[in-house]
Amino acid sequence: MANTSAVYARIDTNLKDNAESILSQLGITPSGAIQMFYSQIVLKKGIPFELKLLSSKPLTVGAMTREQLDAELKKGYASIKAGKIYSADEVDEALAKEFGI
């Protein structure tokens, strides 16, 4: 028999139940899932999925409220009236620099 150790963790009951239901459908025990997770940590030498804070990427028009869209359009109109205009290349460069897009 392999040398084993116990791992104890407290998690939300609903999360546990939902996860174990999915694992059961996959034919995987909770211990097996934890074994897989730890194996991936060792293989990847870190957490096996990306951890990051939400980015500050701009909202899409469809995700804006009417008030947000109106405010952005007013800012754009005021910018044009003030003579602040940019070429498409300048806009692309600024977006790439600030948001990585």
Side-chain angles (χ1 to χ4, degrees):
M1 182 173 186
N3 186 17
T4 62
S5 296
V7 175
Y8 298 98
R10 297 195 64 78
I11 63 171
D12 177 79
T13 301
N14 289 333
L15 175 61
K16 177 185 174 289
D17 292 344
N18 288 335
E20 288 181 2
S21 173
I22 293 167
L23 290 172
S24 176
Q25 292 173 52
L26 294 169
I28 301 169
T29 65
S31 293
I34 293 169
Q35 181 80 26
M36 288 180 207
F37 179 61
Y38 273 44
S39 295
Q40 286 298 306
I41 290 171
V42 171
L43 287 171
K44 304 279 186 184
K45 298 197 181 329
I47 301 295
F49 46 83
E50 189 174 358
L51 297 172
K52 64 180 183 177
L53 298 174
L54 295 176
S55 68
S56 60
K57 287 188 178 182
L59 292 174
T60 62
V61 172
M64 290 182 176
T65 65
R66 179 66 179 195
E67 293 76 22
Q68 289 172 317
L69 180 57
D70 286 346
E72 290 300 315
L73 290 171
K74 286 177 183 175
K75 284 195 290 187
Y77 182 70
S79 179
I80 291 170
K81 282 181 69 173
K84 296 179 184 176
I85 56 172
Y86 304 94
S87 69
D89 289 337
E90 290 171 318
V91 171
D92 286 344
E93 185 179 319
L95 289 172
K97 183 178 178 182
E98 186 172 352
F99 301 108
I101 56 175

